[in-house]
Amino acid sequence: MDLLTGPLIDRLDFRNAMSHFAAAVHIVTTDGRFGLRGTTVTSVCSVSDDPPTLLVCLNLSSAGNDRFSENGAFAVNVLEAGQEAVARAFAGEGKLPVEERFAMAGWETAATGAPMLKGALASFDCRVTDSRIVATHRVIIGEVVGLKVAPAAPSLLYKERQFHSL
């Protein structure tokens, strides 16, 4: 194994190394005055449990991702293994319009107005408390104001550029 060093790591080398991270797959959603939006992400993590807080990273290359901060609320929906088709659609496969993506599954409206995916392993309804740009992404922090948890089932994971279940 070659050790890559230097002040700047090549973007492709970094992406290839990151592909070895196994990550849970989520659909992050928002709705409100600035419009409906949903996207598939793996970059979600817990920040704190007092108050319950999550962090989500959204790529700046999609202008529609501004809606999450603008609406001031979002839901993080943790996908189960059988929801790969929905994950692919919200990741942009097929280039479906937003309405068709949402029509692929059932949704409930959370207290904040964000769509919560029916059948998700867990859904977290979040109020945006901070939003900032870091490099190529907008990092959004949200306080969890509601949640829904389903019975245990296999999770949908993403590793080495492929979906897996665990």
mmCIF file of all heavy atoms in Angstrom, residues 30 34-35 37 58-73 128 131 133 138 140:
data_model
loop_
_atom_site.group_PDB
_atom_site.id
_atom_site.type_symbol
_atom_site.label_atom_id
_atom_site.label_comp_id
_atom_site.label_asym_id
_atom_site.label_seq_id
_atom_site.Cartn_x
_atom_site.Cartn_y
_atom_site.Cartn_z
ATOM 1 N N THR A 30 -37.135 18.199 3.048
ATOM 2 C CA THR A 30 -37.623 19.464 3.586
ATOM 3 C C THR A 30 -38.829 19.903 2.771
ATOM 4 O O THR A 30 -38.999 19.500 1.609
ATOM 5 C CB THR A 30 -36.537 20.560 3.568
ATOM 6 O OG1 THR A 30 -37.007 21.709 4.305
ATOM 7 C CG2 THR A 30 -36.170 21.002 2.161
ATOM 8 N N PHE A 34 -39.980 27.680 0.859
ATOM 9 C CA PHE A 34 -39.006 27.681 -0.231
ATOM 10 C C PHE A 34 -39.074 26.418 -1.090
ATOM 11 O O PHE A 34 -38.290 26.261 -2.013
ATOM 12 C CB PHE A 34 -37.599 27.901 0.329
ATOM 13 C CG PHE A 34 -37.447 29.277 0.907
ATOM 14 C CD1 PHE A 34 -37.663 29.504 2.251
ATOM 15 C CD2 PHE A 34 -37.124 30.349 0.091
ATOM 16 C CE1 PHE A 34 -37.551 30.780 2.788
ATOM 17 C CE2 PHE A 34 -37.011 31.624 0.606
ATOM 18 C CZ PHE A 34 -37.229 31.846 1.964
ATOM 19 N N GLY A 35 -40.001 25.529 -0.786
ATOM 20 C CA GLY A 35 -40.240 24.389 -1.654
ATOM 21 C C GLY A 35 -39.836 23.046 -1.099
ATOM 22 O O GLY A 35 -39.131 22.935 -0.103
ATOM 23 N N ARG A 37 -38.034 19.384 -1.227
ATOM 24 C CA ARG A 37 -36.731 18.869 -1.660
ATOM 25 C C ARG A 37 -36.436 17.591 -0.887
ATOM 26 O O ARG A 37 -36.813 17.450 0.276
ATOM 27 C CB ARG A 37 -35.642 19.911 -1.375
ATOM 28 C CG ARG A 37 -34.237 19.474 -1.689
ATOM 29 C CD ARG A 37 -33.933 19.564 -3.159
ATOM 30 N NE ARG A 37 -32.521 19.220 -3.379
ATOM 31 C CZ ARG A 37 -32.081 18.575 -4.424
ATOM 32 N NH1 ARG A 37 -32.907 18.213 -5.375
ATOM 33 N NH2 ARG A 37 -30.806 18.298 -4.554
ATOM 34 N N LEU A 58 -24.607 18.582 2.808
ATOM 35 C CA LEU A 58 -25.269 18.597 1.504
ATOM 36 C C LEU A 58 -24.377 19.289 0.482
ATOM 37 O O LEU A 58 -23.868 20.389 0.731
ATOM 38 C CB LEU A 58 -26.605 19.340 1.603
ATOM 39 C CG LEU A 58 -27.610 18.757 2.589
ATOM 40 C CD1 LEU A 58 -28.759 19.725 2.805
ATOM 41 C CD2 LEU A 58 -28.114 17.421 2.097
ATOM 42 N N ASN A 59 -24.228 18.671 -0.678
ATOM 43 C CA ASN A 59 -23.368 19.197 -1.721
ATOM 44 C C ASN A 59 -23.901 20.516 -2.268
ATOM 45 O O ASN A 59 -25.090 20.640 -2.575
ATOM 46 C CB ASN A 59 -23.246 18.159 -2.844
ATOM 47 C CG ASN A 59 -22.061 18.400 -3.723
ATOM 48 O OD1 ASN A 59 -21.848 19.502 -4.209
ATOM 49 N ND2 ASN A 59 -21.278 17.367 -3.932
ATOM 50 N N LEU A 60 -23.011 21.489 -2.419
ATOM 51 C CA LEU A 60 -23.387 22.801 -2.942
ATOM 52 C C LEU A 60 -23.663 22.777 -4.444
ATOM 53 O O LEU A 60 -24.248 23.718 -4.972
ATOM 54 C CB LEU A 60 -22.284 23.823 -2.666
ATOM 55 C CG LEU A 60 -22.063 24.199 -1.206
ATOM 56 C CD1 LEU A 60 -20.815 25.055 -1.073
ATOM 57 C CD2 LEU A 60 -23.281 24.926 -0.667
ATOM 58 N N SER A 61 -23.244 21.712 -5.137
ATOM 59 C CA SER A 61 -23.422 21.668 -6.590
ATOM 60 C C SER A 61 -24.899 21.603 -6.985
ATOM 61 O O SER A 61 -25.246 21.875 -8.123
ATOM 62 C CB SER A 61 -22.660 20.491 -7.205
ATOM 63 O OG SER A 61 -23.210 19.269 -6.770
ATOM 64 N N SER A 62 -25.760 21.259 -6.053
ATOM 65 C CA SER A 62 -27.189 21.250 -6.322
ATOM 66 C C SER A 62 -27.835 22.454 -5.653
ATOM 67 O O SER A 62 -27.949 22.516 -4.428
ATOM 68 C CB SER A 62 -27.820 19.962 -5.797
ATOM 69 O OG SER A 62 -29.208 20.004 -6.032
ATOM 70 N N ALA A 63 -28.261 23.413 -6.468
ATOM 71 C CA ALA A 63 -28.862 24.646 -5.935
ATOM 72 C C ALA A 63 -30.098 24.349 -5.090
ATOM 73 O O ALA A 63 -30.402 25.071 -4.147
ATOM 74 C CB ALA A 63 -29.220 25.593 -7.078
ATOM 75 N N GLY A 64 -30.805 23.269 -5.395
ATOM 76 C CA GLY A 64 -31.998 22.916 -4.636
ATOM 77 C C GLY A 64 -31.710 22.617 -3.175
ATOM 78 O O GLY A 64 -32.600 22.689 -2.327
ATOM 79 N N ASN A 65 -30.456 22.296 -2.855
ATOM 80 C CA ASN A 65 -30.112 21.989 -1.468
ATOM 81 C C ASN A 65 -30.162 23.213 -0.561
ATOM 82 O O ASN A 65 -30.161 23.075 0.656
ATOM 83 C CB ASN A 65 -28.748 21.301 -1.391
ATOM 84 C CG ASN A 65 -28.820 19.856 -1.843
ATOM 85 O OD1 ASN A 65 -29.907 19.271 -1.907
ATOM 86 N ND2 ASN A 65 -27.683 19.276 -2.149
ATOM 87 N N ASP A 66 -30.230 24.409 -1.132
ATOM 88 C CA ASP A 66 -30.399 25.623 -0.325
ATOM 89 C C ASP A 66 -31.735 25.615 0.424
ATOM 90 O O ASP A 66 -31.876 26.260 1.455
ATOM 91 C CB ASP A 66 -30.317 26.874 -1.197
ATOM 92 C CG ASP A 66 -28.924 27.149 -1.702
ATOM 93 O OD1 ASP A 66 -27.958 26.600 -1.141
ATOM 94 O OD2 ASP A 66 -28.785 27.927 -2.665
ATOM 95 N N ARG A 67 -32.691 24.879 -0.107
ATOM 96 C CA ARG A 67 -34.029 24.850 0.502
ATOM 97 C C ARG A 67 -34.017 24.345 1.942
ATOM 98 O O ARG A 67 -34.852 24.739 2.749
ATOM 99 C CB ARG A 67 -34.972 23.990 -0.328
ATOM 100 C CG ARG A 67 -35.264 24.601 -1.676
ATOM 101 C CD ARG A 67 -36.182 23.746 -2.487
ATOM 102 N NE ARG A 67 -36.276 24.318 -3.831
ATOM 103 C CZ ARG A 67 -36.652 23.642 -4.886
ATOM 104 N NH1 ARG A 67 -36.986 22.365 -4.765
ATOM 105 N NH2 ARG A 67 -36.707 24.219 -6.065
ATOM 106 N N PHE A 68 -33.073 23.463 2.261
ATOM 107 C CA PHE A 68 -33.021 22.924 3.621
ATOM 108 C C PHE A 68 -32.802 24.043 4.639
ATOM 109 O O PHE A 68 -33.513 24.137 5.636
ATOM 110 C CB PHE A 68 -31.928 21.855 3.736
ATOM 111 C CG PHE A 68 -32.251 20.605 2.970
ATOM 112 C CD1 PHE A 68 -31.824 20.458 1.658
ATOM 113 C CD2 PHE A 68 -32.987 19.590 3.553
ATOM 114 C CE1 PHE A 68 -32.126 19.306 0.941
ATOM 115 C CE2 PHE A 68 -33.300 18.439 2.844
ATOM 116 C CZ PHE A 68 -32.868 18.299 1.522
ATOM 117 N N SER A 69 -31.832 24.887 4.385
ATOM 118 C CA SER A 69 -31.571 26.011 5.291
ATOM 119 C C SER A 69 -32.671 27.053 5.196
ATOM 120 O O SER A 69 -33.111 27.599 6.202
ATOM 121 C CB SER A 69 -30.233 26.669 4.950
ATOM 122 O OG SER A 69 -29.185 25.817 5.264
ATOM 123 N N GLU A 70 -33.111 27.331 3.981
ATOM 124 C CA GLU A 70 -34.132 28.364 3.779
ATOM 125 C C GLU A 70 -35.449 27.996 4.462
ATOM 126 O O GLU A 70 -36.108 28.863 5.051
ATOM 127 C CB GLU A 70 -34.354 28.591 2.283
ATOM 128 C CG GLU A 70 -33.163 29.212 1.593
ATOM 129 C CD GLU A 70 -33.261 29.205 0.078
ATOM 130 O OE1 GLU A 70 -34.069 28.426 -0.480
ATOM 131 O OE2 GLU A 70 -32.526 29.972 -0.550
ATOM 132 N N ASN A 71 -35.841 26.722 4.397
ATOM 133 C CA ASN A 71 -37.082 26.294 5.057
ATOM 134 C C ASN A 71 -36.926 26.218 6.569
ATOM 135 O O ASN A 71 -37.914 26.225 7.294
ATOM 136 C CB ASN A 71 -37.536 24.929 4.524
ATOM 137 C CG ASN A 71 -38.197 25.027 3.167
ATOM 138 O OD1 ASN A 71 -38.749 26.063 2.796
ATOM 139 N ND2 ASN A 71 -38.144 23.941 2.409
ATOM 140 N N GLY A 72 -35.691 26.109 7.037
ATOM 141 C CA GLY A 72 -35.445 26.091 8.479
ATOM 142 C C GLY A 72 -35.770 24.779 9.159
ATOM 143 O O GLY A 72 -35.800 24.707 10.389
ATOM 144 N N ALA A 73 -36.021 23.740 8.356
ATOM 145 C CA ALA A 73 -36.368 22.444 8.932
ATOM 146 C C ALA A 73 -36.030 21.343 7.939
ATOM 147 O O ALA A 73 -35.996 21.569 6.737
ATOM 148 C CB ALA A 73 -37.851 22.388 9.268
ATOM 149 N N VAL A 128 -33.554 23.612 11.999
ATOM 150 C CA VAL A 128 -32.192 24.083 11.718
ATOM 151 C C VAL A 128 -31.742 25.058 12.799
ATOM 152 O O VAL A 128 -32.435 26.029 13.107
ATOM 153 C CB VAL A 128 -32.114 24.763 10.336
ATOM 154 C CG1 VAL A 128 -30.743 25.386 10.109
ATOM 155 C CG2 VAL A 128 -32.442 23.772 9.229
ATOM 156 N N SER A 131 -26.159 26.618 9.995
ATOM 157 C CA SER A 131 -25.902 26.236 8.619
ATOM 158 C C SER A 131 -24.693 27.022 8.152
ATOM 159 O O SER A 131 -24.665 28.240 8.271
ATOM 160 C CB SER A 131 -27.125 26.562 7.754
ATOM 161 O OG SER A 131 -26.855 26.312 6.402
ATOM 162 N N ILE A 133 -21.139 26.927 5.204
ATOM 163 C CA ILE A 133 -20.467 26.306 4.072
ATOM 164 C C ILE A 133 -19.068 25.890 4.504
ATOM 165 O O ILE A 133 -18.323 26.672 5.096
ATOM 166 C CB ILE A 133 -20.421 27.264 2.873
ATOM 167 C CG1 ILE A 133 -21.852 27.506 2.377
ATOM 168 C CG2 ILE A 133 -19.535 26.706 1.764
ATOM 169 C CD1 ILE A 133 -21.990 28.553 1.312
ATOM 170 N N ARG A 138 -22.613 22.282 2.274
ATOM 171 C CA ARG A 138 -23.287 23.039 3.323
ATOM 172 C C ARG A 138 -23.489 22.073 4.481
ATOM 173 O O ARG A 138 -24.068 21.004 4.311
ATOM 174 C CB ARG A 138 -24.629 23.576 2.851
ATOM 175 C CG ARG A 138 -25.411 24.296 3.965
ATOM 176 C CD ARG A 138 -26.679 24.928 3.463
ATOM 177 N NE ARG A 138 -26.437 25.931 2.449
ATOM 178 C CZ ARG A 138 -26.020 27.185 2.686
ATOM 179 N NH1 ARG A 138 -25.789 27.571 3.917
ATOM 180 N NH2 ARG A 138 -25.852 28.020 1.694
ATOM 181 N N ILE A 140 -25.339 21.431 7.822
ATOM 182 C CA ILE A 140 -26.547 21.884 8.514
ATOM 183 C C ILE A 140 -26.666 21.118 9.823
ATOM 184 O O ILE A 140 -26.570 19.890 9.856
ATOM 185 C CB ILE A 140 -27.800 21.663 7.664
ATOM 186 C CG1 ILE A 140 -27.671 22.426 6.336
ATOM 187 C CG2 ILE A 140 -29.051 22.099 8.411
ATOM 188 C CD1 ILE A 140 -28.810 22.181 5.397
#
